[in-house]
Amino acid sequence: MRIVSLLPSATEIVCALGLGDALVGVTHECDYPAEARTKPVVTSSLLDHAGTSSEEIDHTVRKQLRAGLSLYEIDHALLAELAPDLILTQTLCQVCSVSYSAVTRVVQDLHDTFAGFAPTVLSLEPHSVDDILATIAQVGAAAGVAERADTLVADLRARAERVRARAAQIAYRPRVACLEWLDPVFGPGHWLPELIEIAGGQAGLGSAHHDSQRVAWGDVIAFAPEVIILTPCGFDLQRTLAEAQQVLPHRSGWGVLPAVRQGRVYAIDGNAYFSRPGPRVIDSIELIAELIHPEQFAGWGPRDAWQPFAASA
């Protein structure tokens, strides 16, 4: 079995299933686990976001998509050389990674050129925690390790239920705002509102199992979050802290939000955790639980994934 992963989350799934040796190609964004960084890279970004603000990135991405242009490029020659049996991709979000339609076009082109090139293309489409666990089972079945996948899924589900059961015993459920983008502001979508609810909070500004949507700043003020979690899609912790410092203190009413007054604003490495529908989404549940209910869940989340955010003068 030779596997090419065109999703960072799928790369994490493959490695969690003990199939690192079968992984022959990854994306330019696949950085976890460490062995992923040693694999041939078959994609590249057509946009350079270094040194650009959240607002500028949003504008550029929207302009590119309105023009019907892709954000990523696949190395056709390298993909043909790698000769995968299985390619893992998605249709969930064309902003986050190469789209399913782009992958199928490339596969068809290579098949037309090389008659023996006929990999299975598996599209993973999770919108919820159950969906994420189901994709692990899908990959396991496609790669011939279904029993191994079942064991991993059972372990991950047990961890999630452990958080749910403990949080259910806590009467206080604070209002939690997870911001998936800072300028413009996007509320939580897909699995993120569900993670908040499992961890013992009240999710707002978004809808579970649906795309993340832009929200008016006035809606944030009206929601009056008691906990704010900053988790911009694709940003690591330091980039999130820098972006938050540039944007949030200047928004009207920021200083009067309950979460700000109580020092309960947290910056997260969203790129590593909340944004990736793979095994570490369970780490994300444990992390949110610790941030929402620190007395009951102290030490449950990964230590290097977050920092308190306090705007400097």
Side-chain angles (χ1 to χ4, degrees), residues 11-312:
T11 295
E12 295 190 23
I13 291 171
V14 169
C15 292
L17 291 173
L19 297 171
D21 290 343
L23 187 64
V24 297
V26 298
T27 78
H28 60 288
E29 295 181 327
C30 292
D31 55 7
Y32 185 89
E35 65 179 307
R37 301 190 188 103
T38 69
K39 306 294 182 177
V41 175
V42 299
T43 68
S44 58
S45 175
L46 296 175
L47 303 177
D48 182 5
H49 297 317
T52 56
S53 68
S54 296
E55 182 181 23
E56 291 167 336
I57 293 171
D58 179 76
H59 175 76
T60 302
V61 167
R62 288 178 183 276
K63 181 179 178 180
Q64 193 86 344
L65 294 179
R66 281 197 302 268
L69 301 175
S70 176
L71 304 177
Y72 303 97
E73 186 172 51
I74 301 174
D75 187 328
H76 293 49
L78 178 56
L79 187 60
E81 180 184 335
L82 295 174
D85 304 299
L86 176 64
I87 297 176
L88 303 175
T89 184
Q90 58 92 40
T91 60
L92 188 68
C93 178
Q94 60 183 325
V95 175
C96 298
S97 61
V98 180
S99 69
Y100 175 76
S101 59
V103 175
T104 55
R105 285 196 301 270
V106 171
V107 169
Q108 184 60 54
D109 289 346
L110 291 177
H111 176 71
D112 293 343
T113 304
F114 307 100
F117 189 88
T120 297
V121 178
L122 178 60
S123 183
L124 307 178
E125 309 303 330
H127 294 273
S128 67
V129 173
D130 280 346
D131 289 349
I132 293 170
L133 298 179
T135 63
I136 296 174
Q138 283 182 275
V139 174
V145 292
E147 290 187 6
R148 197 181 302 173
D150 289 344
T151 299
L152 176 59
V153 167
D155 290 344
L156 294 172
R157 191 182 299 279
R159 286 172 56 195
E161 291 306 316
R162 180 170 170 245
V163 174
R164 190 196 302 272
R166 186 161 187 156
Q169 299 174 10
I170 306 170
Y172 171 55
R173 299 180 69 86
R175 296 181 302 278
V176 180
C178 276
L179 305 184
E180 291 202 51
W181 200 250
L182 304 184
D183 192 12
V185 174
F186 275 69
H190 297 302
W191 49 86
L192 194 44
E194 185 181 0
L195 304 190
I196 296 168
E197 296 290 340
I198 292 172
Q202 299 180 59
L205 307 175
S207 299
H209 314 153
H210 295 279
D211 291 349
S212 174
Q213 297 292 328
R214 183 171 178 171
V215 298
W217 183 249
D219 292 337
V220 179
I221 297 295
F223 182 52
E226 297 164 277
V227 178
I228 297 176
I229 301 176
L230 311 175
T231 175
C233 183
F235 283 4
D236 63 15
L237 177 56
Q238 294 307 313
R239 181 73 185 270
T240 297
L241 287 165
E243 290 292 320
Q245 182 60 51
Q246 290 296 316
V247 173
L248 296 179
H250 307 292
R251 290 197 176 273
S252 176
W254 169 256
V256 303
L257 290 172
V260 178
R261 294 201 313 266
Q262 297 164 18
R264 302 200 68 189
V265 182
Y266 307 101
I268 303 294
D269 185 346
N271 183 54
Y273 294 97
F274 297 176
S275 301
R276 293 189 183 182
R280 286 194 292 174
V281 77
I282 307 303
D283 297 64
S284 301
I285 296 174
E286 295 166 342
L287 173 55
I288 294 178
E290 180 174 3
L291 298 181
I292 296 175
H293 298 293
E295 297 84 4
Q296 292 82 4
F297 291 98
W300 284 46
R303 298 312 314 158
D304 59 349
W306 65 278
Q307 286 185 28
F309 172 74
S312 60

